[in-house]
Amino acid sequence: MARQTVAKSQSTITRDFIAKQSPTANPIALVTNLPGVVSSGNDPLGQSTTSISMRGLNQTEIGFLYEGMPLADSINYTPYTQSVVDSDNISSVTIDQGAPDISAPVYNDVGGLMKISLRHAADKMGGRADFSFGSKSLEREFIRLDSGDIAHTGIKAFASFSSTSNNEWRGSGQFRKYHVDAEIRKDWTPETSLAFIFSYDNWQQSNYRPMTLAAWKQYGINYNYNKDYTVGDQNWTGLNNYERRSMMMMLPFKTKFAKGLSFNFTPAYSKFDEFYLGAHTLSTGTNYYGTQAVNNLQGLGASYNNGATTMAEQINPVPQQSFFLNTGLTWKKGINTLQFGYSYNYIDLLEQICVHGRCRQWRHAQRGGKIPRYPE
């Protein structure tokens, strides 16, 4: 933990600590031992879905920032910290346990803030590779290349790629993830810099079947969706999956105009394509084309029960994109600080459910915290 000098409750883990942890751990799993923090996850590797509370406040009431950009889903405030950056590329993670930072561009931050800092491009050319193996068929490969100073221009860059796969800890099912981080930056002085930061994440995971006490007593950790497929089996693991493809770009700029007077400007764009996969049984007399009841399902691919029923894969794609802009002017004089700033965030979410190619869609658009909803 880094030594703190600010007059507020704050804790920081640095690169030295992060390097000693499992490379599969996401930022929420990394800070679980900090004061006031309680976190949990649904896998022992710390890479899947996690939740966090801070001094009794849950994650929907906590702000999450990555290099100054909001991380949490703007619709339901879920923090996708596990898909934004590889732990190998994290420089530090800072937790503010107390009152929210009024300069942080997050509107749901009512009591706590997590700030994730990138390990920027190195001054010298080099690289790093890391390979991990473990139980549950865990395999992880990571490689990072740093350009160093390019042709004495002061411009430097890095790019990294990682691949992770393992079996689910309970029953059948698999997890696979591909991730890319990259940055190109120019530092004129310690106070003046411009950078382009990019990340891409491809996430594929089998769902965990909801557990009951009776199932736990009978199957224990072997209880999950079925590994082998049989005709009409909605509980086959291949039909119960979650996929997410996310992309983030930001262009942070900061400069110093005069002694004590500084300016920052950060536009950013993010795009998330989520897919919830499941199955649905169609039956004659209970399904319709418009207002007409379907009396025979052979045309929809029914191959059993004389065409009276058929099972269809149900796909719920949820594409979401967001544009973010944060700018601020700060003047410091002695122990006094005066700040002016403006933050703008636009979110567009399209929800649709598709069965056999027939889809219904809803769009949610948000500007300035107001969310109109209308069918498309």
Side-chain angles (χ1 to χ4, degrees):
M1 293 175 59
R3 183 172 179 267
Q4 303 296 330
T5 58
V6 293
K8 63 179 179 179
S9 297
Q10 180 174 282
S11 304
T12 300
I13 56 172
T14 63
R15 183 66 213 157
D16 290 339
F17 173 82
I18 297 171
K20 296 179 176 67
Q21 310 308 306
S22 170
T24 62
N26 69 75
I28 289 179
L30 290 172
V31 301
T32 188
N33 292 321
L34 292 183
V37 176
V38 177
S39 68
S40 63
N42 63 6
D43 79 275
L45 298 174
Q47 62 189 0
S48 191
T49 304
T50 52
S51 62
I52 184 174
S53 65
M54 196 180 302
R55 290 187 174 176
L57 298 176
N58 64 42
Q59 62 190 26
T60 64
E61 301 166 309
I62 301 171
F64 297 87
L65 296 177
Y66 171 55
E67 286 295 311
M69 176 181 175
L71 276 185
D73 187 308
S74 299
I75 303 298
N76 58 29
Y77 307 127
T78 300
Y80 292 128
T81 59
Q82 67 269 37
S83 63
V84 65
V85 59
D86 275 324
S87 62
D88 309 74
N89 294 324
I90 297 177
S91 172
S92 64
V93 182
T94 297
I95 292 291
D96 293 349
Q97 296 99 332
D101 185 349
I102 60 173
S103 64
V106 284
Y107 47 79
N108 65 307
D109 176 11
V110 297
L113 182 69
M114 171 184 282
K115 294 175 286 188
I116 304 171
S117 298
L118 178 68
R119 187 160 67 100
H120 296 297
D123 295 327
K124 296 182 179 181
M125 180 184 294
R128 182 175 183 269
D130 182 83
F131 303 94
S132 304
F133 303 91
S135 59
K136 295 296 180 180
S137 301
L138 169 67
E139 293 184 15
R140 184 180 186 271
E141 299 81 34
F142 171 86
I143 184 169
R144 167 172 165 149
L145 298 175
D146 285 272
S147 69
D149 192 341
I150 301 175
H152 305 288
T153 60
I155 299 174
K156 49 192 177 181
F158 88 84
S160 71
F161 171 79
S162 70
S163 172
T164 308
S165 65
N166 59 267
N167 294 333
E168 302 269 314
W169 75 270
R170 173 162 63 85
S172 60
Q174 290 186 324
F175 169 89
R176 177 167 288 280
K177 172 183 173 181
Y178 303 99
H179 188 86
V180 174
D181 287 319
E183 180 194 42
I184 180 169
R185 66 183 295 110
K186 164 74 173 179
D187 292 284
W188 287 271
T189 69
E191 296 85 13
T192 302
S193 65
L194 175 66
F196 172 74
I197 300 172
F198 171 86
S199 72
Y200 172 79
D201 192 82
N202 188 323
W203 180 288
Q204 305 166 28
Q205 180 179 5
S206 301
N207 293 336
Y208 284 102
R209 191 173 183 177
M211 178 69 76
T212 63
L213 180 59
W216 176 258
K217 289 180 178 179
Q218 183 175 357
Y219 301 102
I221 63 171
N222 295 318
Y223 183 75
N224 206 344
Y225 289 103
N226 301 327
K227 181 179 181 181
D228 300 317
Y229 176 72
T230 57
V231 175
D233 183 11
Q234 295 188 39
N235 291 319
W236 178 46
T237 185
L239 288 173
N240 294 273
N241 290 278
Y242 170 72
E243 299 180 7
R244 182 175 70 246
R245 300 177 185 92
S246 59
M247 183 266 294
M248 299 177 64
M249 297 183 294
M250 65 183 78
L251 196 70
F253 171 73
K254 65 176 183 178
T255 189
K256 183 178 180 180
F257 290 141
K259 184 178 180 180
L261 186 62
S262 59
F263 173 76
N264 67 83
F265 177 82
T266 304
Y269 173 79
S270 63
K271 190 175 190 305
F272 299 89
D273 290 310
E274 295 183 89
F275 300 89
Y276 299 88
L277 284 74
H280 184 74
T281 297
L282 305 177
S283 304
T284 56
T286 61
N287 291 275
Y288 293 81
Y289 274 134
T291 60
Q292 300 299 314
V294 178
N295 296 318
N296 193 299
L297 298 172
Q298 291 286 2
L300 295 178
S303 58
Y304 58 95
N305 200 14
N306 297 320
T309 61
T310 186
M311 188 181 65
E313 182 178 20
Q314 180 174 296
I315 304 174
N316 181 9
V318 186
Q320 176 180 334
Q321 57 183 344
S322 172
F323 175 76
F324 167 77
L325 175 64
N326 186 48
T327 184
L329 185 67
T330 302
W331 178 68
K332 293 184 178 181
K333 182 69 173 179
I335 62 173
N336 302 300
T337 300
L338 181 63
Q339 291 181 308
F340 297 93
Y342 176 77
S343 181
Y344 175 82
N345 199 354
Y346 173 82
I347 305 101
D348 184 81
L349 170 66
L350 178 67
E351 295 188 53
Q352 55 183 339
I353 297 179
C354 303
V355 178
H356 274 306
R358 298 174 62 84
C359 303
R360 293 190 65 186
Q361 300 180 346
W362 296 267
R363 169 167 276 114
H364 310 272
Q366 175 174 321
R367 298 179 181 87
K370 185 178 180 180
I371 309 178
R373 293 178 170 84
Y374 55 90
E376 186 178 78

